[in-house]
Amino acid sequence: MLHVNARQAGLLHPVDMDAAHATPGTAPRHPDKPFLYFIAPGDDLGEELCASGTNQRLYRVMDGCLAVYHLLPDGRRQIIDIAGPGRAIAGLPGGPDGHAIKALTFTEIEVLDAAVNPALAAEAAQEALVRLARHAMLLGRMNAAEKVANGLLDLAAQFPRKLRQGHPVLTLYLTRNDLADWLGLTVETVSRTLNQFKRTGMIDYAHAEIVTLTRPEQLKALASGRPTLIRNTRRQGEHA
Amino acid sequence: MLHVNARQAGLLHPVDMDAAHATPGTAPRHPDKPFLYFIAPGDDLGEELCASGTNQRLYRVMDGCLAVYHLLPDGRRQIIDIAGPGRAIAGLPGGPDGHAIKALTFTEIEVLDAAVNPALAAEAAQEALVRLARHAMLLGRMNAAEKVANGLLDLAAQFPRKLRQGHPVLTLYLTRNDLADWLGLTVETVSRTLNQFKRTGMIDYAHAEIVTLTRPEQLKALASGRPTLIRNTRRQGEHA
DNA sequence: CGAAGTTTTGACATCGTTCAAACAACGTGG
DNA sequence: CCACGTTGTTTGAACGATGTCAAAACTTCG
């Protein structure tokens, strides 16, 4: 039997393996019409798919998980956004400033031409902007615990989830490494923070990739950036 | 005689003081037509100006400098973008996720309705997205020196500048505090980094707000995130 | 001159990174 | 079914970059 681990299969979302294994990189046959596409975990949406010439592409995630990221010549990586089912993201025209997009699990996307769907394109840009601005706040002004709390809540909101004993259960399509590159931390710090959350009872997990949010309210309090009652001494970026 | 310091007046850009002092917050009389507007340093573009009802506003900076920022309930601030002459930025509809915009010097803007200029709106959104993505990389994956180098080069590119002895001269409309909130650092670190750049001859300044880039190439090298020849040991966010 | 705000500098603390190693999960090939 | 390699996660110990706190030096301006 073919083994597929929780992260890849998503547990909640079994996929058609044959379709998922279709080689990516093949240009859609009818670029003007919606086109369904399957991507395997780890695969990049290549240049061909990302932007063909001048006309900008739009991707709607039907199922699975995409990561939009940038690389430094150096090798450092920053994941700009994580997109789950329902999200539409724009493939910026390539070049040095063009971002790359990668699937974190078996993912089904709909490929559209931005010129054909200006309204959807505008909406996608708007949402990306709002999310990125929030993320900049996170990257520039939050500490490790706040970052991880925000990350978990974002993922919980984006990915369909079951309740287990009344608590939201979340399948992480991101590895600790992905989380680190998304939240501007290192793998070790992410791991330590998650384990700290587990010890204090805010979350729970047996397998690294399946997390139960046992105290979402506490996570929300941490994530919100509200002043803590217990004397918040922080000064970084503080304004009267 | 009226005294105006270098930061406020911009030295290179004398402004009509009477016009500049016009009280902000007054709604444009013809929202559908381009409308010129003057803002004094420190003034926020209020709700009235930022977004009137459902129709989104667009601002084109004619002269001066705007900062787009977010606040945490906490008081922490993150400046999302700095916009100089020529830049067009969108005023997102208010609400908890709506950003605030503030003038850092006497600033003249043109107020447009996004619905009336969809092309310009799309272009502004696109540029904002590209810049924000770059900034996320900076915030999440760069050290203090790289951040400051990038900040200086960005400002040098955005603001009209003279050459002094062949070197670009830059008027900082941002205080050290603004720089810190933009780059995800503290005032002290910004100050120390700038002084370090001065000591090593990459930049020079007598007044804190007028900076000469004496070795732009070195700044660019620092800012680029290229692996240094002298054994770069960094590992954070690194990928083969 | 004196008050207020900004920048700089120093001493010290700390959070997050670095480095190293053990551990766990998974898949492959014998 | 088991040994083994690979990849991801966890943990510990030490270090260091950057934040924090405090105060002095400047600048601006009344």
Side-chain angles (χ1 to χ4, degrees):
Chain A
M1 177 201 161
L2 180 59
H3 276 267
V4 175
N5 73 20
R7 175 162 292 130
Q8 288 174 336
L11 284 189
L12 308 173
H13 309 288
V15 296
D16 174 351
M17 298 300 283
D18 289 339
H21 279 122
T23 56
T26 315
R29 284 171 298 244
H30 306 292
D32 283 354
K33 293 173 185 156
F35 186 87
L36 287 182
Y37 212 84
F38 286 92
I39 317 157
D43 280 348
D44 256 301
L45 272 65
E47 272 284 330
E48 329 83 66
L49 248 190
C50 230
S52 72
T54 60
N55 55 342
Q56 193 183 325
R57 287 287 167 67
L58 216 55
Y59 308 107
R60 181 150 42 192
V61 180
M62 309 306 289
D63 189 37
C65 178
L66 294 182
V68 185
Y69 65 95
H70 281 236
L71 288 176
L72 246 32
D74 192 65
R76 280 174 281 179
R77 180 175 70 148
Q78 176 66 51
I79 295 181
I80 296 308
D81 200 2
I82 298 289
R87 291 280 310 282
I89 60 183
L92 289 185
D97 276 335
H99 50 229
I101 303 176
K102 164 191 286 202
L104 299 186
T105 184
F106 294 109
T107 301
E108 184 186 1
I109 59 174
E110 188 181 15
V111 181
L112 305 155
D113 192 313
V116 177
N117 307 70
L120 182 59
E123 190 190 333
Q126 188 80 340
E127 187 178 16
L129 222 40
V130 171
R131 285 180 58 84
L132 247 182
R134 274 188 61 85
H135 204 61
M137 173 86 255
L138 177 151
L139 290 170
R141 286 301 180 213
M142 288 189 169
N143 62 30
E146 294 170 323
K147 286 178 175 183
V148 174
N150 269 290
L152 288 174
L153 290 171
D154 187 324
L155 295 177
Q158 268 202 91
F159 293 91
R161 58 196 183 282
K162 268 189 193 146
L163 293 184
R164 180 153 56 190
Q165 298 162 9
H167 302 303
V169 177
L170 173 61
T171 302
L172 294 181
Y173 297 114
L174 299 82
T175 66
R176 303 290 187 262
N177 210 327
D178 294 331
L179 283 170
D181 285 346
W182 185 33
L183 303 176
L185 298 168
T186 57
V187 210
E188 295 93 330
T189 301
V190 169
S191 176
R192 273 187 258 266
T193 307
L194 285 173
N195 279 289
Q196 179 196 317
F197 284 0
K198 184 156 82 165
R199 274 195 305 278
T200 57
M202 302 175 77
I203 66 174
D204 194 31
Y205 57 94
H207 304 279
E209 52 264 15
I210 301 180
V211 179
T212 305
L213 308 188
T214 41
R215 300 214 188 298
E217 342 74 43
Q218 278 190 29
L219 280 181
K220 276 171 201 149
L222 236 185
S224 70
R226 255 190 298 278
T228 316
L229 293 184
I230 26 168
R231 180 66 188 130
N232 189 349
T233 259
R234 174 173 303 99
R235 205 180 59 93
Q236 177 178 152
E238 192 165 0
H239 287 249
Chain B
M1 177 200 162
L2 180 61
H3 275 266
V4 175
N5 73 22
R7 175 163 291 132
Q8 288 173 334
L11 284 189
L12 309 173
H13 309 288
V15 296
D16 175 352
M17 298 299 283
D18 289 339
H21 278 122
T23 57
T26 315
R29 284 170 298 244
H30 307 293
D32 284 355
K33 292 174 184 153
F35 185 87
L36 286 182
Y37 213 83
F38 286 92
I39 316 156
D43 281 347
D44 257 301
L45 272 64
E47 271 285 329
E48 330 81 68
L49 246 190
C50 229
S52 71
T54 60
N55 54 343
Q56 193 183 325
R57 286 287 166 65
L58 216 57
Y59 309 106
R60 182 151 39 193
V61 180
M62 309 306 290
D63 189 37
C65 177
L66 294 183
V68 185
Y69 65 95
H70 281 237
L71 288 175
L72 246 32
D74 189 69
R76 281 174 280 178
R77 180 175 69 147
Q78 176 65 53
I79 295 181
I80 295 308
D81 201 3
I82 298 289
R87 292 279 310 282
I89 61 183
L92 289 184
D97 276 335
H99 49 229
I101 303 175
K102 163 190 287 200
L104 299 186
T105 184
F106 293 108
T107 300
E108 184 187 1
I109 60 174
E110 188 180 16
V111 181
L112 304 156
D113 191 314
V116 178
N117 307 70
L120 181 58
E123 191 190 333
Q126 187 81 340
E127 187 178 16
L129 223 41
V130 171
R131 284 180 58 83
L132 246 182
R134 276 188 59 86
H135 205 61
M137 173 87 255
L138 177 150
L139 290 171
R141 286 303 180 211
M142 289 189 168
N143 62 30
E146 294 169 322
K147 287 178 175 183
V148 174
N150 269 290
L152 288 174
L153 290 171
D154 186 325
L155 295 178
Q158 268 201 89
F159 294 92
R161 59 197 182 281
K162 267 189 193 146
L163 293 184
R164 182 153 56 191
Q165 298 161 9
H167 302 303
V169 177
L170 173 61
T171 302
L172 295 180
Y173 297 113
L174 298 82
T175 66
R176 302 290 187 260
N177 211 327
D178 294 331
L179 282 169
D181 285 346
W182 185 34
L183 303 176
L185 298 168
T186 58
V187 212
E188 294 93 330
T189 302
V190 169
S191 176
R192 274 187 258 266
T193 306
L194 286 172
N195 279 289
Q196 180 195 317
F197 284 180
K198 183 156 85 165
R199 275 195 305 277
T200 56
M202 302 175 76
I203 66 175
D204 195 31
Y205 57 95
H207 305 280
E209 53 264 14
I210 301 179
V211 179
T212 305
L213 308 187
T214 41
R215 301 214 188 297
E217 341 75 43
Q218 279 190 29
L219 280 181
K220 276 172 200 149
L222 236 186
S224 70
R226 255 190 298 279
T228 317
L229 293 183
I230 26 168
R231 181 66 188 129
N232 189 349
T233 256
R234 175 175 301 98
R235 205 179 59 92
Q236 176 177 151
E238 191 165 0
H239 287 248

